[in-house]
Amino acid sequence: MASLDRVKVLVLGDSGVGKSSLVHLLCQNQVLGNPSWTVGCSVDVRVHDYKEGTPEEKTYYTELWDVGGSVGSASSVKSTRAVFYNSVNGIILVHDLTNKKSSQNLYRWSLEALSKDSSPTGIIVSNGDYDREQFAENSVPLLLIGTKFDQIPENKRNDVLTRTAFLSEDFNAEEINLDCTNPRYLAAGSSNAVKLSRFFDKVIEKRYFTRDSSQMQSFTDRRRFNFKSLHSD
Amino acid sequence: MSFFVDSVIMFTSQVLFFGFGWLFFMRQLFKDYEVRQYVVQVVFSITFAFSCTMFELIIFEILGVLSSTSRYFHWKLNLYVILLVLIFVVPFYIGYFVVSNIRLLHRQRLLFSCVVWFTFMYFFWKLGDPFPILSPKHGILSIEQLISRVGVIGVTLMALLSGFGAVNCPYTYMSYFLRNVTDSDILALERRLLQTMDMIVSKKKRIAMVRRQMYQRGEEQNKQTGFWGMIKSVTSSTSGSENLSLIQQEVDALEELSRQLFLETVDLQATKERIEYSKTFQGKYFNFLGYFFSIYCVWKIFMATINIVFDRVGKTDPVTRGIEITVNYLGIQFDVKFWSQHISFILVGIIIVTSIRGLLITLTKFFYAISSSKSSNVIVLVLAQIMVRHNIKSRQKTTALF
């Protein structure tokens, strides 16, 4: 059982957006009955079939690390949270569709997580300001999930969806909009489930199958240092 | 004519304060949340504006600005509006938002919030019974009744807050209380935390694997319902589900441990930062101030205890007393009355400003500590209440000073 390989995915987002419910839904296929505040970090494990339905199918453990707290926390909380950001293979960014601030804070969340996880190719993070190109060449796969979809009234849906489309473009990530209290949104075969599967596949690929390929490392962007250390982990 | 000019001045200042309250609300209190009900923001800003106007009127009274009839008029106006907001509007909205958070009563929100409001009014009225407020001069439905009740609550609140401040202040400022925390302590704790997380992860992997195998074998019958189901599950529980519940218990214990470790690490980090801060110049300055404050606080606590135990009442205010002592001991000749008036005025101004600032800072900290997106509306309204009562009480204190 423990012989399966593992990947680590962070689940980040503001307080109260529904990360714990989401993780529970993804890992146990059940709705979380009594959500309460997450203190520190709670982990759950999802068994994922990489390349399901093909002859190369292989099962992996995906650890979903649900980190609690808000972006505006005291610096002592932030530096303690930073221990959870080591060797991350993928990030799921969760925001609340009924709360615009939570989507805006996602930029700060991703900066917080990615700047701790500075890979040896030396991505220079520019002082907390959001930089779009940084995300375009970022090597950690991102997924954007919007929760509480059912609480948006019909007439506002289009605006919300346009806004999240911009967001997913900025992060260069796929987006899923759902309601964590309803497993129907992630039913097998739905487009959401397909996107989710693709995301996990991408994470596993980045972790296990691209270590040999050298084209990920040689960028000619002037912002990057060109380190020759390809055997990084 | 002068009345018109005065009203314009008062009105402009009120609008200014309103804007300031609005900004404070948006930038500080609701930094991480989205304002969905604007009524909360409006009520908060109105309360803030009128409280500040009251202080302003006192200062005008002292300085002799504006004609006294217009001052009196505005005073009454302010008082009525504030009492209206404090006693009718804010409790009603608090009740309304609390009730809207409870799912069961969502349908009949208005009805239940009226019920809550009536309960509040009943207790509010009962509060005045032990106190000698009712007198034949005033009658029962007069404004003095309301003010005195508000005053009672305000005094209690302020006493609580200042008592809390007196004890908390030395602890926060003085670096004597800081434990010595080294980097290696923090690293060791972080390592333990990560080890605990790894253990949790490995146990969860086992659970996930076992459940997957059970599911594949078509044994997803953990939830046996009904009487026969219960009997069956007693006799023929599969080893899979037994193991599962055992591992689940271990996982729960480990999760609790990880939470404790996380909180301890946060605490250590905070202490380390305080130590670093205390080494800087600013830190040293505050530490120095802290010693003085602590002595003052301890003296205050001591005097308060003596006053209660021996049933004394303080006679002269500290400033006049201080000046008297100075004059007597140092033999300096100056006109005590003239100077004490001005010094008291300056002191009052400082007290007012720092009390508002201190109040706003404490409120913000309190708000961050306990808020979430559901309760933020309620909390802001409660804060507005406290703020107004505090201001009314300060006003009474300063008028007593003169």
Side-chain angles (χ1 to χ4, degrees), chain A residues 1 4 6 28 30 37 39-41 43-45 47 49 61 63 75-77 79-80 83-84 98-101, chain B residues 30-34 190 193-194 197 201 204-205 208-209 211-212 223 259 262-263 265-266 269-270 273 371-372:
Chain A
M1 286 179 243
L4 288 187
R6 55 189 277 268
Q28 321 222 348
Q30 282 171 1
W37 278 343
V39 176
C41 171
V43 196
D44 217 341
V45 172
V47 182
D49 294 315
Y61 284 123
E63 299 165 18
S75 56
S76 53
V77 179
S79 30
T80 318
V83 303
F84 299 128
T98 59
N99 182 352
K100 261 187 264 181
K101 279 264 169 70
Chain B
F30 259 50
K31 214 164 45 158
D32 293 329
Y33 304 110
E34 193 181 325
E190 283 178 359
L193 179 61
L194 283 178
M197 298 305 295
V201 167
K204 287 223 161 155
K205 282 178 189 167
M209 209 33 144
R211 286 185 69 189
R212 188 178 151 101
K223 308 183 199 70
R259 280 192 279 266
F262 181 78
L263 290 175
T265 320
V266 169
Q269 286 271 10
E273 276 166 22
S371 73
S372 75

Side-chain angles (χ1 to χ4, degrees), chain B residues 145-387:
Chain B
Q145 297 273 337
L146 297 176
I147 295 185
S148 24
R149 280 177 170 81
V150 167
V152 162
I153 301 181
V155 162
T156 328
L157 264 179
M158 271 199 47
L160 280 174
L161 279 178
S162 67
F164 172 74
V167 175
N168 190 41
C169 161
Y171 181 69
T172 324
Y173 276 132
M174 291 187 13
S175 54
Y176 178 70
F177 290 109
L178 287 179
R179 302 189 299 233
N180 214 357
V181 170
T182 59
D183 276 341
S184 52
D185 292 338
I186 297 184
L187 277 179
L189 212 60
E190 283 178 359
R191 229 186 5 244
R192 269 184 71 190
L193 179 61
L194 283 178
Q195 274 174 1
T196 320
M197 298 305 295
D198 283 335
M199 278 162 59
I200 295 178
V201 167
S202 57
K203 289 209 185 328
K204 287 223 161 155
K205 282 178 189 167
R206 279 176 65 189
I207 295 181
M209 209 33 144
V210 166
R211 286 185 69 189
R212 188 178 151 101
Q213 285 169 355
M214 280 169 54
Y215 182 68
Q216 282 171 346
R217 272 186 267 147
E219 269 180 45
E220 193 74 279
Q221 312 147 350
N222 303 11
K223 308 183 199 70
Q224 293 266 23
T225 52
F227 187 64
W228 286 118
M230 268 176 21
I231 303 271
K232 257 210 279 186
S233 67
V234 164
T235 52
S236 65
S237 55
T238 55
S239 61
S241 59
E242 253 181 24
N243 260 350
L244 221 55
S245 53
L246 209 62
I247 306 180
Q248 187 63 40
Q249 281 175 9
E250 288 174 22
V251 165
D252 290 335
L254 279 175
E255 278 185 337
E256 187 58 43
L257 178 64
S258 79
R259 280 192 279 266
Q260 294 299 327
L261 283 175
F262 181 78
L263 290 175
E264 258 186 61
T265 320
V266 169
D267 204 23
L268 280 190
Q269 286 271 10
T271 320
K272 182 173 146 213
E273 276 166 22
R274 272 179 63 193
I275 293 180
E276 276 173 20
Y277 179 72
S278 75
K279 293 199 183 119
T280 65
F281 191 62
Q282 248 193 339
K284 287 204 175 108
Y285 171 67
F286 277 118
N287 188 33
F288 187 63
L289 274 189
Y291 278 111
F292 275 121
F293 271 129
S294 322
I295 298 176
Y296 174 64
C297 291
V298 167
W299 181 77
K300 239 184 15 172
I301 296 177
F302 185 63
M303 289 308 290
T305 327
I306 293 209
N307 281 342
I308 293 180
V309 168
F310 292 118
D311 218 5
R312 274 190 340 165
V313 177
K315 299 254 166 53
T316 51
D317 72 290
V319 177
T320 324
R321 198 141 177 273
I323 294 185
E324 274 175 18
I325 296 177
T326 330
V327 167
N328 287 340
Y329 282 179
L330 298 184
I332 299 179
Q333 303 288 344
F334 61 7
D335 190 359
V336 175
K337 265 205 174 157
F338 174 72
W339 279 109
S340 77
Q341 177 88 308
H342 277 71
I343 292 182
S344 300
F345 174 58
I346 293 179
L347 218 66
V348 163
I350 295 181
I351 289 178
I352 290 177
V353 168
T354 53
S355 91
I356 290 187
R357 181 177 174 274
L359 183 71
L360 287 180
I361 289 182
T362 319
L363 293 192
T364 326
K365 276 200 223 160
F366 179 67
F367 185 73
Y368 280 153
I370 68 171
S371 73
S372 75
S373 54
K374 267 196 179 176
S375 54
S376 47
N377 285 338
V378 173
I379 294 173
V380 168
L381 288 172
V382 168
L383 293 185
Q385 278 254 357
I386 297 179
M387 179 171 61

Side-chain angles (χ1 to χ4, degrees), chain A residues 1 7-8 14 30 80 85 93 96 103 112 121 128 141 151 157 160 168 178 182 191 198 201 203 206 208 215-216 230:
Chain A
M1 286 179 243
V7 280
K8 174 171 163 182
D14 273 353
Q30 282 171 1
T80 318
Y85 298 156
L93 295 167
D96 185 351
S103 336
E112 188 181 323
T121 52
Q151 289 181 21
R157 281 216 174 147
V160 169
S168 66
L178 48 68
N182 191 348
S191 66
R198 263 214 308 256
D201 284 349
V203 169
K206 279 258 160 69
Y208 286 108
Q215 58 244 51
M216 303 302 292
L230 299 174

